[in-house]
């Protein structure tokens, strides 16, 4: 949900789209041969930068992409762990584990690690999420070896010292508390909770105050030993490097021990019987944030691309119906967009906008009207052509840089979707007919069953009485 | 180097990628050989950046930069104008930004909603932004749509519709934008207050988006005057990076833009900022969870060579987990959740600032003293070579990273051409940063960060009492 804006900007970057039937197998030509890099060939028209895959004995899969256009290289590790792998009463466990990696190892303390990354002109980028957690760092080529040694140390030898755990716990608690001052982020978080209930997607990736208070050092160590394993990770190595560096990297990462990874099941999200509105009221707000959501699809759903195409005309860009109506014609907002956020488990379909307090209900009414009309009536042929052109026309940006390509490959690998997804993307989009996109939208979006979160000041309460809302007043 | 992208105002917030401008640089014309790539970087050698730029000017004064790049079948198309909020006056603040919005509302050949619709139908993404000094429009297009975009840009450069009824609804949109960026966003209020406190007489005093009462009052005549004065070819820079043939594209540009008329620009006299002689204080009370503050100073314009040392000083104080402020306040004292520092150099003047966000329930006063102490240290003690090298590496790497995409290259070239008068400053910057010494850092700190030059902006909760400490 929070990634929506980005997903819209780069049609593939964040969700590394995939359409193909769930269980793709990797194309034979991408299988690793010691020095051979290859650009996968397929029936598709798009040629990717050459890359190669290697799987180490400990199960770590490495994707190499050589790119000499800039004197730099980057390392990314994607762990198949997130909110989904933590118990509710320990919410925040995965984020704590991830952030603590750079807060001290067996041979370096937190400040030394920060200094060493800093000296290379970089920092460690740690992103704990719902399904996956990514760790990224990059450097100029002259620092390749230092980068590798430091990166490996942080991943493989974290110290998890008590002082660091307490420091970080207090940090995250403080940032959770401050979220209410950022109306947009707060509305997103409240929407997630309302939509997903006790399902792990309903919680901030950084956890909850209760969970953070409860978790102990042994929980962190156990979580690390269970999920932060080479056979639960994929690594991407991108940029300017040579055979020697590959050899060294494999030697270094090969020392990491594998373990059996357990599978967990999540509490299902609640079903929605009819549209429900929740008003969250806070004094002093100058504007109302509005979120409209329902459960969407899993990433592996065959309707992934048809839905993306259908959404393009509804709320995907400036030319979309929502933007033309609610922003351009009515002047009710500066921004409105809709999108499908697809994940390992069922994701969501979300609409996000804001307006002045006085026009809160009008903005919601008009939004729902546009959605209902679109789901029931479908797009016009002209809209379908435009949507196809948008997806096809903007596609190259998603794989324009070697880092972006690597990210897409990592995500596809995570969802077990063939890389042909990228090579065949354009031809697959061009095959989608107007009625396919419209039918997909009808199948997956029910305009009578939305959950709605409205975050504004007291003046919004009387406006919404017809919606029979639940009202939550935030204490001063 | 550390531009605050949040000071920029973009026409759409659909993307987080509005404008990440590259730091403007001094107006020097070094001899950069264009090699078309980046020369290696080994140990202490200076990293040489270069791109194969073709630069030419049409008779009507339009400046054009072309970089052929066939990595993907797309073109990044940037049209930037040398006009921003500094060209406004009290009463019409935000006019440059309002005009930027109106540039999407139709012209002569492409009227009404045609811009949104045609971009949408042809697989083109587009947006725009306004800053204190310039306004930029850009598209990322499939390379076979080049002529279409050219035709559309020429149409709105020469014959904008500016219909009163469109202005009426678009003003509502901009008011929502202002509420979103400033009125309903505590940090937005802090930034606006910082600029109006640091700058009293210069045009940087008011926000790029303008004041609400001014936004309500725009009329199309005022905007038309702005448009006809500044949206002329001799006040614009066109930058294209991507999948095209240079010779053919040059011919196309001559064909499409050649007939536009050169119009002399008015003499522009910008009010000079008075040198500050006494500390300024501003306190904002809002319904927020925690204290936060900024300590800001007037700093020199982008053309001043001191800019490089100030960029590095800001990096040392506030860039990332290895910075002095982070280590001392977030890590050791554990009183703050985040710290930052920047040197925002504009055409007429700059602002150099340090900011801290406190943990809820922790009072800011003691931390403010620590910040003063950190500023004092830079004025009174030379930094180590290691720390200096770290700041340089981070700054130069940021420059390299900004050139990863076609759009990034186009943006970097455009901002340098617009702000310094030549794109070549982009390539000479690395050597300029490398040349900064520890003495320079001490010298600029002494020159710009004394007690009498400070502006302290504090944001604190309305009903302050010991909030529950976790």
């Amino acid at each position: 949900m929070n990634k929506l804006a980005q997903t819209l900007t780069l049609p593939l970057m964040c969700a590394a789209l995939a359409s193909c039937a769930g269980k793709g197998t990797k194309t034979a030509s991408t299988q690793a041969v010691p020095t051979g890099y290859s650009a996968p060939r397929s029936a598709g028209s798009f040629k990717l930068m050459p890359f190669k895959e290697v799987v180490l004995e400990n199960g770590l899969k490495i994707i190499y992409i050589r790119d000499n256009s800039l004197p730099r290289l980057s390392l990314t590790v994607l762990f198949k762990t997130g909110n989904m792998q933590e118990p509710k009463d320990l919410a925040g466990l995965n984020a704590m584990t991830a952030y603590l990696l750079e807060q001290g190892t067996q041979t370096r303390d937190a400040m030394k690690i920060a200094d060493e990354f800093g000296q290379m002109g970089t920092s460690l980028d740690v992103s704990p999420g719902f399904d996956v957690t990514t760790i990224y760092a990059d450097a100029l080529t002259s620092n390749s070896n230092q980068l590798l040694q430091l990166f490996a140390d942080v991943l493989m030898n974290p110290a998890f010292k008590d002082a660091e755990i307490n420091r970080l716990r207090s940090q995250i608690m403080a940032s959770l508390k401050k979220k209410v001052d950022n109306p947009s982020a707060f509305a997103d978080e409240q929407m997630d909770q309302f939509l997903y209930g006790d399902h792990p997607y309903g919680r901030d990736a950084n956890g909850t105050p209760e969970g953070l208070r409860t978790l102990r050092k042994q929980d962190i160590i156990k979580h690390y030993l269970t999920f932060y394993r080479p056979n639960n990770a994929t690594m991407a190595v991108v940029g300017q490097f040579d055979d020697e560096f590959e050899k060294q990297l494999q030697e270094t990462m090969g020392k990491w021990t594998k373990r059996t990874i357990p599978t967990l099941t999540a509490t299902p999200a609640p079903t929605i019987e009819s549209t429900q509105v929740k008003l969250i009221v806070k004094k002093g707000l100058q504007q109302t944030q509005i979120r409209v959501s329902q459960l969407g699809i899993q990433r592996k759903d065959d309707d992934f691309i048809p839905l993306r195409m259908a959404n393009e005309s509804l709320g995907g860009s400036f030319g979309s119906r929502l933007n033309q109506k609610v922003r351009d014609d009515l002047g009710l907002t500066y921004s409105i967009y809709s999108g499908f956020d697809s994940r390992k488990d069922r994701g969501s379909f979300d609409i996000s906008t804001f307006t002045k307090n006085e026009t809160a209900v009008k903005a919601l009414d008009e939004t729902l009207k546009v959605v209902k009309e679109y789901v029931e009536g479908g797009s016009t042929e002209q809209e379908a052509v435009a949507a196809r052109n948008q997806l096809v026309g903007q596609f190259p940006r998603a794989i324009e840089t070697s880092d972006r390509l690597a990210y897409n490959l990592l995500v596809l690998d995570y969802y077990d979707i063939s890389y042909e997804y990228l090579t065949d993307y354009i031809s697959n989009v061009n095959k989608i007919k107007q009625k396919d996109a419209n039918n997909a939208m009808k199948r997956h979006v029910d305009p009578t069953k939305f959950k709605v979160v409205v975050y504004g000041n007291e003046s919004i309460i009387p406006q919404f009485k017809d919606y029979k809302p639940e009202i939550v007043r935030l204490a001063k | 180097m550390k531009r605050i992208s949040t000071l920029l105002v973009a026409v759409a917030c659909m993307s987080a990628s509005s404008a990440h401008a590259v730091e403007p640089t001094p107006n020097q014309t070094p001899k950069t050989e264009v090699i078309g790539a980046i020369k290696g970087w080994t140990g202490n050698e200076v990293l040489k950046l270069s791109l194969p730029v073709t630069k030419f000017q049409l008779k009507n004064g339009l400046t054009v930069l072309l970089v052929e790049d066939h990595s993907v079948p797309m073109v990044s198309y940037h049209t930037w104008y040398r006009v921003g909020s500094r060209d406004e006056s009290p009463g019409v603040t935000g006019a440059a930004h309002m005009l930027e919005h109106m540039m999407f509302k139709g012209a002569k050949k492409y009227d009404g909603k045609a811009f949104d619709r045609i971009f949408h139908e042809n697989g083109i993404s587009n947006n725009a932004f306004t800053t204190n000094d310039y306004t930029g429009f850009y598209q990322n297009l499939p390379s076979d749509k080049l002529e279409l975009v050219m035709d559309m840009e020429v149409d709105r450069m020469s014959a904008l519709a500016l219909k009163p009824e469109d202005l009426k609804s678009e003003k509502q949109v901009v008011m929502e934008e202002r509420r979103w960026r400033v009125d309903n966003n505590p940090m937005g209020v802090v930034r606006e207050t910082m600029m109006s406190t640091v700058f009293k007489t210069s045009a940087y005093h008011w926000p790029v988006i303008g004041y609400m009462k001014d936004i309500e009052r725009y009329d199309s005549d005022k905007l038309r005057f702005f448009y006809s004065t500044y949206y002329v070819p001799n006040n614009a820079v066109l930058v294209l990076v991507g999948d095209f043939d240079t010779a053919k594209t040059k011919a196309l540009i001559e064909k499409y833009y050649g007939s536009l008329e050169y119009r002399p620009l008015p003499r522009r006299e910008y009010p000079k900022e008075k040198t500050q002689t006494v500390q300024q204080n501003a306190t904002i009370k809002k319904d927020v969870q925690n204290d936060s503050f900024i300590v800001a100073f007037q700093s020199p314009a982008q053309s001043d060579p001191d800019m490089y040392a100030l960029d590095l000083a800001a990096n040392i104080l506030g860039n990332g987990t290895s910075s002095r402020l982070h280590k001392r306040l977030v890590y050791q004292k554990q009183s703050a959740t985040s710290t930052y520092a920047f040197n925002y150099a504009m055409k007429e003047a700059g602002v150099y600032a340090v900011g801290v966000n406190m943990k809820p329930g922790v009072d800011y006063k003691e931390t403010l003293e620590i910040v003063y102490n950190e500023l004092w240290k830079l004025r009174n003690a030379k930094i180590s070579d290691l720390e200096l090298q770290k700041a340089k590496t981070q700054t130069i790497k940021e420059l390299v990273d900004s050139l990863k995409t076609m759009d990034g290259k186009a943006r970097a070239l455009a901002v340098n051409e617009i702000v310094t008068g030549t794109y070549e400053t982009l390539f000479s910057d690395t050597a300029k940063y490398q040349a900064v010494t520890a003495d320079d850092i001490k010298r600029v700190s002494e020159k710009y960060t004394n007690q009498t030059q400070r502006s302290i902006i504090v944001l604190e909760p309305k009903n302050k009492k010991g909030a529950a400490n976790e």
Side-chain angles (χ1 to χ4, degrees):
Chain A
M1 181 166 297
N2 311 343
K3 280 261 162 94
L4 202 52
Q6 262 179 301
T7 317
L8 285 162
T9 326
L10 289 172
L12 307 156
M13 182 112 177
C14 297
L17 326 172
S19 63
C20 341
K23 295 272 178 285
T25 46
K26 303 287 178 285
T27 44
S29 59
T30 65
Q31 293 306 323
V33 272
T35 53
Y37 279 71
S38 62
R41 298 153 49 120
S42 74
S45 54
F46 212 88
K47 201 162 176 300
L48 303 175
M49 272 177 244
F51 60 90
K52 92 173 171 184
E53 265 189 9
V54 174
V55 180
L56 305 186
E57 267 174 44
N58 61 8
L60 180 69
K61 183 189 279 187
I62 305 171
I63 300 167
Y64 290 105
I65 305 177
R66 289 200 195 180
D67 171 7
N68 294 325
S69 62
L70 292 168
R72 58 180 294 280
L73 86 160
S74 73
L75 305 175
T76 314
V77 167
L78 179 150
F79 286 106
K80 301 171 185 180
T81 179
N83 282 25
M84 291 291 275
Q85 279 68 29
E86 64 185 20
K88 186 186 175 211
D89 62 333
L90 298 178
L93 175 61
N94 181 61
M96 281 284 281
T97 307
Y99 296 135
L100 280 164
L101 296 176
E102 61 171 326
Q103 301 303 320
T105 66
Q106 307 304 330
T107 52
R108 294 174 168 97
D109 65 18
M111 286 296 99
K112 189 166 161 51
I113 292 169
D115 282 339
E116 285 191 36
F117 275 118
Q119 214 61 46
M120 290 187 263
T122 189
S123 56
L124 194 69
D125 181 22
V126 179
S127 310
F130 294 113
D131 289 324
V132 302
T133 298
T134 55
I135 317 283
Y136 171 97
D138 61 352
L140 293 163
T141 300
S142 51
N143 291 319
S144 321
N145 293 333
Q146 295 99 302
L147 179 72
L148 171 60
Q149 293 318 318
L150 185 57
F151 195 78
D153 190 33
V154 161
L155 289 178
M156 290 153 67
N157 312 307
F160 299 124
K161 290 200 178 86
D162 289 318
E164 297 297 344
I165 292 171
N166 294 331
R167 180 182 282 117
L168 190 65
R169 193 195 320 259
S170 155
Q171 275 292 336
I172 299 177
M173 296 267 228
S175 64
L176 289 178
K177 198 168 172 154
K178 290 163 110 169
K179 211 164 181 177
V180 71
D181 293 337
N182 178 339
S184 183
F186 184 71
D188 284 344
E189 175 197 87
Q190 293 296 313
M191 186 72 243
D192 283 345
Q193 278 182 21
F194 193 33
L195 183 65
Y196 283 106
D198 282 343
H199 185 285
Y201 291 168
R203 304 190 297 259
D204 189 307
N206 284 333
T208 59
E210 302 73 37
L212 289 162
R213 260 193 295 267
T214 309
L215 61 89
R216 293 285 161 263
K217 182 176 180 159
Q218 57 267 33
D219 300 315
I220 294 167
I221 292 172
K222 184 176 162 219
H223 185 76
Y224 171 78
L225 290 175
T226 309
F227 295 107
Y228 284 64
R229 296 291 106 208
N231 51 320
N232 198 38
T234 313
M235 184 168 188
V237 182
V238 177
Q240 214 179 70
F241 56 87
D242 55 16
D243 291 12
E244 181 53 35
F245 183 77
E246 285 181 28
K247 210 172 100 209
Q248 216 183 349
L249 184 127
Q250 280 159 221
E251 216 166 280
T252 305
M253 304 311 293
K255 293 179 184 141
W256 204 356
T257 38
K258 68 189 285 187
R259 286 175 66 152
T260 310
I261 313 292
T263 33
L264 306 176
T265 47
T267 317
T271 49
I272 309 175
E273 300 308 333
S274 62
T275 291
Q276 302 167 41
V277 176
K278 185 190 255 189
L279 305 184
I280 301 170
V281 172
K282 182 171 179 257
K283 276 203 177 78
L285 289 176
Q286 304 289 307
Q287 192 173 50
T288 297
Q289 286 281 346
I290 300 171
R291 299 290 180 275
V292 177
S293 289
Q294 60 184 242
L295 291 177
I297 54 163
Q298 288 183 292
R299 178 61 188 78
K300 64 179 186 209
D301 198 301
D302 288 349
D303 281 331
F304 183 84
I305 291 189
L307 284 173
R308 193 165 202 114
M309 180 169 143
N311 182 67
E312 203 54 44
S313 325
L314 173 62
S317 72
F318 289 143
S320 71
R321 287 195 192 185
L322 283 169
N323 199 68
Q324 289 297 311
K325 180 77 185 175
V326 183
R327 173 177 158 151
D328 276 27
D329 295 351
L330 301 170
L332 289 170
T333 188
Y334 170 61
S335 165
I336 181 162
Y337 53 83
S338 63
F340 287 88
D341 181 359
S342 346
R343 299 181 189 163
K344 191 79 160 187
D345 205 347
R346 276 188 79 181
S348 53
F349 170 70
D350 315 297
I351 304 162
S352 177
T353 190
F354 50 79
T355 189
K356 57 190 167 300
N357 295 314
E358 296 79 1
T359 49
V361 80
K362 186 167 171 28
L364 177 64
D365 288 345
E366 295 290 346
T367 298
L368 292 175
K369 211 156 73 185
V370 171
V371 175
K372 183 170 188 287
E373 197 175 295
Y374 185 76
V375 174
E376 286 170 0
S379 61
T380 63
E381 180 55 38
Q382 192 186 11
E383 282 175 322
V385 170
R388 233 178 263 124
N389 288 345
Q390 270 297 329
L391 296 191
V392 169
Q394 293 298 309
F395 170 75
R397 291 182 75 198
I399 49 170
E400 182 181 357
T401 67
S402 44
D403 270 341
R404 287 183 192 172
L405 173 61
Y407 186 79
N408 276 285
L409 296 175
L410 284 174
V411 173
L412 287 171
D413 175 79
Y414 168 72
Y415 289 115
D416 202 15
I417 291 164
S418 160
Y419 297 152
E420 283 176 6
Y421 171 75
L422 293 172
T423 51
D424 301 355
Y425 179 79
I426 290 176
S427 58
N428 284 337
V429 169
N430 281 326
K431 280 183 206 146
I432 300 169
K433 296 187 174 59
Q434 178 197 359
K435 67 172 193 324
D436 301 335
N438 289 340
N439 290 340
M441 196 79 185
K442 262 207 183 77
R443 265 198 301 279
H444 293 284
V445 175
D446 182 341
T448 66
K449 292 183 181 174
F450 279 115
K451 279 193 168 175
V452 180
V453 164
V454 185
Y455 180 43
N457 73 9
E458 279 96 343
S459 74
I460 65 173
I461 295 173
Q463 295 177 40
F464 284 88
K465 63 177 188 305
D466 292 351
Y467 283 96
K468 303 191 174 56
E470 175 192 345
I471 301 170
V472 180
R473 282 186 174 80
L474 295 185
K476 291 286 288 190
Chain B
M1 201 77 223
K2 298 212 73 67
R3 287 228 147 202
I4 334 173
S5 51
T6 40
L7 280 181
L8 304 174
V9 178
V11 74
C13 57
M14 290 199 140
S15 72
S17 69
S18 46
H20 303 291
V22 176
E23 188 57 25
T25 54
N27 199 346
Q28 312 250 351
T29 38
K31 295 234 180 314
T32 309
E33 234 187 302
V34 173
I35 322 223
I38 285 155
K39 278 192 181 167
W41 159 281
T42 47
N44 301 323
E45 235 184 84
V46 173
L47 182 73
K48 282 243 190 313
L49 293 174
S50 65
L51 294 167
V53 181
T54 302
K55 179 176 176 176
F56 60 95
Q57 202 169 42
L58 299 188
K59 281 198 185 66
N60 58 20
L62 179 75
T63 302
V64 184
L65 306 178
L66 303 178
V67 177
E68 224 178 288
D69 174 350
H70 301 285
S71 51
V72 288
M74 294 188 75
V75 176
S76 187
Y77 194 119
H78 283 247
T79 312
W80 291 27
Y81 296 87
R82 296 182 190 90
V83 59
S85 61
R86 72 172 174 153
D87 298 294
E88 297 154 1
S89 48
V92 286
T93 66
H97 171 254
M98 188 73 229
L99 187 57
E100 177 230 304
H101 274 243
M102 295 309 291
M103 286 283 280
F104 291 80
K105 293 295 193 179
K108 191 166 155 191
K109 181 172 173 185
Y110 299 93
D111 63 356
K113 293 188 170 225
F115 280 84
D116 280 342
R117 184 178 53 77
I118 294 172
F119 285 142
H120 184 64
E121 284 172 356
N122 288 279
I124 300 164
S125 67
N126 75 106
N127 214 326
F129 58 88
T130 308
T131 75
N132 307 84
D133 297 326
Y134 49 86
T135 308
F137 299 83
Y138 58 97
Q139 295 85 20
N140 284 292
L141 51 132
S143 35
D144 60 349
K145 302 294 181 191
L146 187 59
E147 270 195 78
L148 172 68
V149 170
M150 236 177 246
D151 199 38
M152 292 170 82
E153 283 294 10
V154 167
D155 191 35
R156 66 179 175 180
M157 190 187 281
S158 55
L160 194 65
L162 270 174
K163 289 194 182 122
E165 62 270 28
D166 287 337
L167 178 61
K168 202 174 152 197
S169 76
E170 200 61 20
K171 280 203 298 198
Q172 296 295 320
V173 173
V174 171
M175 285 184 223
E176 291 302 347
E177 182 180 1
R178 185 185 151 91
R179 287 184 194 104
W180 177 68
R181 283 184 193 282
V182 185
D183 304 327
N184 207 39
N185 173 359
M187 288 322 287
V189 176
V190 167
R191 268 192 300 273
E192 191 168 289
T193 309
M194 175 189 81
M195 293 298 274
S196 65
T197 308
V198 171
F199 299 109
K200 297 292 189 214
T201 50
S202 98
Y204 297 145
H205 175 77
W206 56 82
V208 172
I209 198 161
Y211 295 119
M212 199 62 104
K213 62 178 190 328
D214 291 345
I215 299 172
E216 285 164 8
R217 284 196 311 227
Y218 299 136
D219 65 52
S220 43
D221 291 347
K222 273 186 195 144
L223 293 180
R224 183 167 299 287
F225 170 78
F226 226 81
Y227 173 75
S228 54
T229 307
Y230 297 115
Y231 280 59
V232 293
N234 41 303
N235 198 38
V237 171
L238 183 61
V239 183
L240 272 62
V241 177
D243 177 35
F244 54 75
D245 174 273
T246 301
K248 280 186 193 147
T249 303
K250 192 175 170 188
L252 277 179
I253 290 169
E254 278 159 357
K255 175 182 145 190
Y256 279 89
Y257 288 89
S259 59
L260 295 180
E261 211 184 320
Y262 169 91
R263 271 207 305 277
L265 291 156
R267 248 184 85 87
R268 292 192 261 184
E269 293 285 347
Y270 299 105
K272 276 269 168 281
E273 187 59 42
K274 282 206 223 27
T275 309
Q276 187 175 322
T277 53
V278 56
Q279 177 175 319
Q280 311 271 0
N281 299 299
T283 301
I284 307 155
K285 289 192 185 291
K286 278 204 165 295
D287 203 356
V288 291
Q289 304 304 303
N290 61 286
D291 293 4
S292 49
F293 64 85
I294 295 186
V295 180
F297 305 89
Q298 290 177 6
S299 68
Q302 57 74 37
S303 55
D304 191 305
D306 282 350
M307 191 198 78
Y308 295 101
L310 282 167
D311 279 353
L312 296 181
N315 177 293
I316 288 159
L317 283 172
N319 189 33
T321 50
S322 66
S323 67
R324 291 184 173 196
L325 288 169
H326 182 92
K327 280 181 176 175
R328 195 159 166 192
L329 297 172
V330 179
Y331 191 81
Q332 286 158 1
K333 294 283 294 180
Q334 299 188 56
S335 57
T337 52
S338 60
T339 59
Y340 57 93
F342 56 82
N343 179 44
Y344 184 59
M346 298 167 286
K347 283 285 257 193
E348 306 297 315
V351 54
Y352 174 83
V354 169
V356 179
N357 297 310
M358 306 299 299
K359 277 186 178 168
V362 182
D363 187 84
Y364 73 92
K365 292 184 194 69
E366 188 190 339
T367 301
L368 184 60
E369 292 298 328
I370 295 176
V371 168
Y372 293 161
N373 175 256
E374 287 297 338
L375 289 160
W376 177 88
K377 276 199 229 163
L378 279 188
R379 291 198 301 269
N380 289 280
K382 251 171 59 165
I383 63 166
S384 70
D385 285 347
L386 194 68
E387 200 172 14
L388 180 63
Q389 198 49 54
K390 172 168 75 96
K392 289 178 182 178
T393 308
Q394 288 184 350
T395 303
I396 289 165
K397 188 173 155 297
E398 227 173 276
L399 248 170
V400 171
D401 286 346
S402 73
L403 303 176
K404 281 197 268 192
T405 60
M406 289 175 176
D407 189 68
K409 287 174 188 147
R411 223 174 266 283
L413 291 167
V415 75
N416 280 277
E417 183 70 31
I418 283 257
V419 170
T420 74
T422 170
Y423 69 88
E424 289 175 331
T425 43
L426 172 65
F427 308 136
S428 54
D429 265 2
T430 47
K432 290 273 197 304
Y433 283 113
Q434 280 294 8
V436 173
T437 64
D439 284 324
D440 290 329
I441 303 277
K442 186 166 175 284
R443 182 181 52 80
V444 297
S445 300
E446 284 169 2
K447 190 169 166 187
Y448 298 103
T449 72
N450 293 294
Q451 191 265 324
T452 53
Q453 297 164 300
R454 291 195 302 232
S455 292
I456 318 295
I457 291 84
V458 175
L459 170 68
E460 51 184 349
K462 257 186 191 143
N463 314 328
K464 212 162 140 181
K465 45 182 186 288
N469 254 320
E470 293 295 358

